[in-house]
């Protein structure tokens, strides 16, 4: 931890105002102007000069807002539990509302504020990676980073608020309504477009942590990729891959990457195949509550993906047969290709988009059974008889109305802002209770991004 802090200071002295008396005016030492080429994390973390760096100046062209902790406390009502949205490896996420008085030029809007838990499995490096990547990448299928806060030990991120939360919550939450088939395809296409954008960028980005919990949904189920803490620049020049420490999430990470540490865009394609399989089957990539041979989704489903007679056995029972037969076959065959053991046999993400795009509109979905809708209070108010039997077909995908976003509460640790910043950091949470099975989520600046010695 001490070593890590030393590096943080050289990376972001602006975040250590208390310990670094201001000397000269800040100088920007990034050699790559943001307008012509994207700045990499390495441009900031390993400066070739002795000049101190200032992130906010290096990213000046990105329109990111640099918030104070006091401002973020204000907009989240002191990170109140009523604003709590959820918690992952980085730390808790709270809803906040920016009103027109907070900042000149910042439109009033709801936001999600993510706070780094210093005792958690992630650290400053992931925070910085997120700011540097998401600060510079803009696309309809990437979550919008509005700004960040870096004060003393505190690291926060401020995003646009996405009212339907994560795909993980929508797909697997026990009491959630089932996502209709065409909505699932819409989500798959949106996420695939996000990955295509990253892979085809002038300077390629490998996302490295594609999974259901990192796909956020707006009110129309437009998918947006979030969490760029593990993202990497793709190989350059004649290199075919990036050699890196194995990180990601068990059940989603490509086997060749886990085995060798060789990372390519095709590792993301594999992870996409896993999520596509989750959308088809309604099962999690790893589910320890199942019998052993069904615990790993890919291993269990793969043999049935190319067999139309067997495919029905693995389709999500929550769909109640309300899916396109032809669409499901095409999607399953695509998942099979994405999950190929050989990376070169996997399709590119743009090829994936071409196959999936038409599947949103397939109209061979059987007519749904009639479903009895229990009248709610507003029905009662409108109807003096008090009981209204309303019979309606299964919800059509794009008109479906849900009763807001039910937040997924995990086991909560004490709130990071309530803890002493000096509290020791326990070791990684491999196979922690919250169903995260990160291959290696704990990261610190002291860990080099070298290939693994073994996996
Ligand atoms: N921009 C956002 N708008 C709305 N809800 C959000 C937003 N960002 C995150 N959330 C919610 O906060 C929760 C935690 O998100 P977070 O990305 O920190 O963790 P995770 O993806 O669940 O886990 P992991 O650490 O493995 O990525 C999610 O359940 C998600 O629903
Ligand atoms: Mg996440």
């Amino acid at each position: 931890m001490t070593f890590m802090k030393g590096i943080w200071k050289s990376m972001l002295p602006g975040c250590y105002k208390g310990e670094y008396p201001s000397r000269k005016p800040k100088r920007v030492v990034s050699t790559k102007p943001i307008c012509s080429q994207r700045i990499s994390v390495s441009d900031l973390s390993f400066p070739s000069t002795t000049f101190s760096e200032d992130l906010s100046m290096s990213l000046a062209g990105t329109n990111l807002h640099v918030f104070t902790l006091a401002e973020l406390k204000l907009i989240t009502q002191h990170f109140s539990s009523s604003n709590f949205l959820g918690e992952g490896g980085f730390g808790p996420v709270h809803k906040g509302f920016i009103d027109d008085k907070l900042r000149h030029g910042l439109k009033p809007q709801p936001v999600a504020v993510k706070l780094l838990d210093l005792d958690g499995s992630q650290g400053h490096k992931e925070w910085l990676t997120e700011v540097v990547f998401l600060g510079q990448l803009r696309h309809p299928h990437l979550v919008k980073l509005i700004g960040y806060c870096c004060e003393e030990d505190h690291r926060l991120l401020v995003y646009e608020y996405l009212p339907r939360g994560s795909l993980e919550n929508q797909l697997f939450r026990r009491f959630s309504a089932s996502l209709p088939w065409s909505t699932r395809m819409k989500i798959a296409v949106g996420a695939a477009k996000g990955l295509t954008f990253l892979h085809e960028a002038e300077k390629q980005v490998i996302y490295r942590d594609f999974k259901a919990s990192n796909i956020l949904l707006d009110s129309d189920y437009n998918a947006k990729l979030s969490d760029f803490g593990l993202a990497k620049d793709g190989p350059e020049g004649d290199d075919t891959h990036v050699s890196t420490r194995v990180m990601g999430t068990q059940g989603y990470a490509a086997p060749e990457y886990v085995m060798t540490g060789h990372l390519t865009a095709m590792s993301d394609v594999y992870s996409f195949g896993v999520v596509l399989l989750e959308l088809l089957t309604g099962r999690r990539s790893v589910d320890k509550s199942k019998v052993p041979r069904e615990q790993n989704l890919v291993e269990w489903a793969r043999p049935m993906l190319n067999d139309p007679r067997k495919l029905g056995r693995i389709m999500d029972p929550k769909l109640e047969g309300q899916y396109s037969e032809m669409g499901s076959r095409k999607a399953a065959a695509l998942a099979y290709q994405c999950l190929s053991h050989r990376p070169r046999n996997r399709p590119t993400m743009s090829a994936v988009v071409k196959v999936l795009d038409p599947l949103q509109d397939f109209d061979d979905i059987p007519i749904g059974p009639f479903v009895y809708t229990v009248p709610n209070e507003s029905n009662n108010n409108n109807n003096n008889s008090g009981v209204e039997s309303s019979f309606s077909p299964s919800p059509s995908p794009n008109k479906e109305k849900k009763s807001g976003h039910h937040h997924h509460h995990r086991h909560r640790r004490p709130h990071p802002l309530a803890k002493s910043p000096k509290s020791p950091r326990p070791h990684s949470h491999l196979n922690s209770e919250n169903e995260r099975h990160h291959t290696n989520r704990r990261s610190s600046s002291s860990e080099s991004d070298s290939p693994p010695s073994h996996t």
Side-chain angles (χ1 to χ4, degrees):
M1 191 68 185
T2 320
F3 176 54
M4 201 168 152
K5 273 190 184 164
I7 290 183
W8 291 14
K9 286 170 191 170
S10 66
M11 284 155 78
L12 291 175
C15 302
Y16 287 87
K17 291 192 180 94
E19 294 168 56
Y20 272 72
S22 56
R23 285 160 283 170
K24 291 179 191 157
K26 293 167 189 167
R27 296 184 60 169
V28 185
V29 296
S30 172
T31 48
K32 294 174 182 172
I34 214 159
C35 45
S36 64
Q37 203 184 10
R38 187 168 55 75
I39 293 173
S40 290
V41 179
S42 55
D43 297 332
L44 295 165
S45 31
F46 304 107
S48 55
T49 70
T50 52
F51 296 123
S52 61
E53 297 204 356
D54 185 321
L55 183 63
S56 64
M57 289 181 76
S58 297
L59 295 175
T62 62
N63 295 329
L64 283 181
H65 291 263
V66 187
F67 293 97
T68 64
L69 186 60
E71 284 175 322
L72 299 183
K73 281 183 179 167
L74 187 73
I75 65 170
T76 58
Q77 297 169 310
H78 288 263
F79 298 95
S80 73
S81 53
S82 59
N83 285 357
F84 178 72
L85 293 174
E87 182 165 5
F90 189 88
V93 185
H94 288 81
K95 188 175 179 183
F97 193 84
I98 293 179
D99 65 19
D100 48 6
K101 290 186 224 73
L102 191 79
R103 280 283 170 102
H104 183 71
L106 190 52
K107 69 168 188 192
Q109 59 188 307
V111 291
V113 181
K114 200 184 266 196
L115 170 66
L116 175 65
D117 183 349
L118 295 172
D119 288 347
S121 61
Q122 296 180 32
H124 172 82
K125 191 177 179 189
E126 282 90 355
W127 174 86
L128 182 66
T129 306
E130 179 105 5
V131 171
V132 171
F133 275 103
L134 261 190
Q136 300 176 85
L137 300 165
R138 288 277 186 265
H139 188 264
H141 292 291
L142 303 188
V143 69
K144 185 176 173 203
L145 183 67
I146 295 168
Y148 61 87
C149 166
C150 171
E151 252 180 50
E152 298 179 338
D153 278 356
H154 304 298
R155 299 287 178 278
L156 298 95
L157 298 156
V158 181
Y159 306 91
E160 65 174 316
Y161 171 72
L162 290 163
R164 293 198 190 265
S166 71
L167 171 62
E168 179 189 43
N169 289 350
Q170 293 283 338
L171 199 55
F172 305 126
R173 220 178 25 222
R174 203 181 291 174
F175 300 111
S176 61
S178 171
L179 284 174
W181 168 255
S182 52
T183 307
R184 295 181 196 217
M185 290 302 102
K186 177 175 181 170
I187 294 168
V189 172
K193 285 181 177 168
L195 276 184
T196 306
F197 168 73
L198 298 177
H199 291 177
E200 294 185 353
E202 196 182 334
K203 193 171 168 185
Q204 186 183 60
V205 178
I206 304 175
Y207 182 59
R208 223 184 4 164
D209 204 15
F210 189 83
K211 56 181 176 178
S213 76
N214 283 344
I215 299 169
L216 299 178
L217 302 167
D218 76 4
S219 51
D220 290 328
Y221 293 98
N222 291 305
K224 305 200 180 215
L225 306 188
S226 72
D227 279 4
F228 278 69
L230 296 187
K232 288 289 282 181
D233 289 313
E236 281 179 308
D238 293 338
D239 290 344
T240 54
H241 61 264
V242 182
S243 269
T244 176
R245 184 184 178 82
V246 178
M247 296 176 95
T249 305
Q250 208 183 62
Y252 290 97
E256 77 284 354
Y257 169 55
V258 174
M259 297 294 287
T260 64
H262 292 178
L263 183 72
T264 66
M266 287 302 159
S267 321
D268 284 345
V269 177
Y270 181 94
S271 309
F272 181 85
V274 179
V275 171
L276 187 54
L277 213 47
E278 291 184 320
L279 284 162
L280 296 177
T281 61
R283 291 184 180 219
R284 289 177 183 274
S285 59
V286 176
D287 188 344
K288 299 281 183 206
S289 71
K290 297 257 184 278
V291 295
R293 75 181 175 83
E294 296 188 15
Q295 286 183 1
N296 182 298
L297 177 59
V298 175
E299 297 310 317
W300 171 71
R302 203 199 308 260
M304 294 178 264
L305 288 175
N306 271 338
D307 185 338
R309 284 164 308 160
K310 291 185 182 161
L311 184 59
R313 290 190 214 159
I314 63 165
M315 291 299 287
D316 186 356
K318 271 182 152 187
L319 284 166
E320 296 178 336
Q322 301 298 294
Y323 58 87
S324 155
E325 192 79 32
M326 186 54 81
S328 65
R329 281 185 205 174
K330 293 197 174 197
L334 183 67
Y336 186 86
Q337 271 184 290
C338 293
L339 296 168
S340 171
H341 289 293
R342 288 168 170 253
R344 71 173 69 128
N345 290 349
R346 296 173 200 153
T348 61
M349 283 315 300
S350 58
V352 167
V353 171
K354 281 202 189 100
V355 175
L356 282 179
D357 224 357
L359 304 192
Q360 300 173 85
D361 311 318
F362 266 31
D363 56 7
D364 64 328
I365 299 177
I367 308 275
F370 285 105
V371 176
Y372 175 66
T373 310
V374 179
N376 60 24
E377 262 179 49
S378 58
N379 281 347
N380 290 346
N381 291 343
N382 296 338
N383 177 359
N384 291 338
S385 71
V387 182
E388 182 186 64
S389 303
S390 86
F391 289 88
S392 60
S394 288
S396 82
N398 297 328
K399 292 184 192 123
E400 185 201 42
K401 276 239 179 314
K402 283 224 189 123
S403 55
H405 171 213
H406 301 272
H407 304 307
H408 178 75
H409 291 247
R410 298 206 171 101
H411 283 289
R412 293 195 60 190
R413 299 185 278 253
H415 197 280
L417 289 181
K419 285 184 284 194
S420 151
K422 300 275 180 285
S423 55
R425 194 167 169 166
H427 204 59
S428 85
H429 64 212
L430 270 178
N431 297 335
S432 62
E433 85 294 338
N434 66 5
E435 289 176 308
R436 285 292 171 288
H437 304 282
H438 294 122
T439 316
N440 202 339
R441 283 313 285 261
R442 173 147 188 229
S443 161
S444 75
S445 306
S446 59
E447 293 170 336
S448 69
D449 245 5
S450 54
S453 47
H454 101 107
T455 34

